[in-house]
Amino acid sequence: MKVRRLTPEDWATWRDIRLTALRSDPAAFGAALAHEQGVDEAWWRAFLDPARGVKVIAEAPEPVALVAGVPHEDHSDVLYLYSMWVKPEFRGRGVGAALVGEVLAWAREHGWARVRLRVFRGNRVARRLYERLGFVGNGDSEVMEYEVS
């Protein structure tokens, strides 16, 4: 398995795995499948602009997982980790940890103080993964945060 950061030139790769994730687990994502199916190449390229954070996929050899790290809307020192998804047949193999590790590495490289995420209260598997990687709750049981050092 290979983990890599994407650039705007990878727009079709991101689009395809993102739409696969939305189709596979619609309840896990806030975005509407219909909306993202309808956006054009320019939108996808802009989304992958490095100024808008980092987007990471895992390949084995085709894309099997994705995650994004984007600047938080309300906190200038926080990178928001979201849209993590791993194809079911690749879960439990360290793919999620590799994806998050790549986002954390990018955050360190770019001077972010914190990485924050939301995880559904009942998603114990994801919560355990994030805790193993150093994320802690901050009072809201859905919000977890990682102090970048």
Side-chain angles (χ1 to χ4, degrees), residues 4 10-11 15 33 36 53 55 60 69 74-75 87-88 90 104 107-108 123 131 142-143 145:
R4 70 179 176 99
D10 297 306
W11 71 272
R15 179 202 59 202
L33 175 61
E36 291 195 22
K55 284 56 172 203
D74 299 323
H75 304 281
K87 281 187 174 183
F90 287 87
L104 296 177
R108 274 186 213 88
N123 192 341
E131 288 168 353
E142 287 189 353
V143 174
E145 196 164 276

Side-chain angles (χ1 to χ4, degrees), residues 1-2 4 13 57-64 90:
M1 181 192 66
K2 179 174 90 171
R4 70 179 176 99
T13 300
I57 62 168
E59 298 170 306
E62 73 284 343
V64 299
F90 287 87

Side-chain angles (χ1 to χ4, degrees), residues 23 38 47 54-55 83 100 104-105 115 127 135:
R23 282 185 205 101
F47 181 74
V54 64
K55 284 56 172 203
S83 291
V100 175
L104 296 177
V115 176
R127 294 186 73 77
F135 284 82

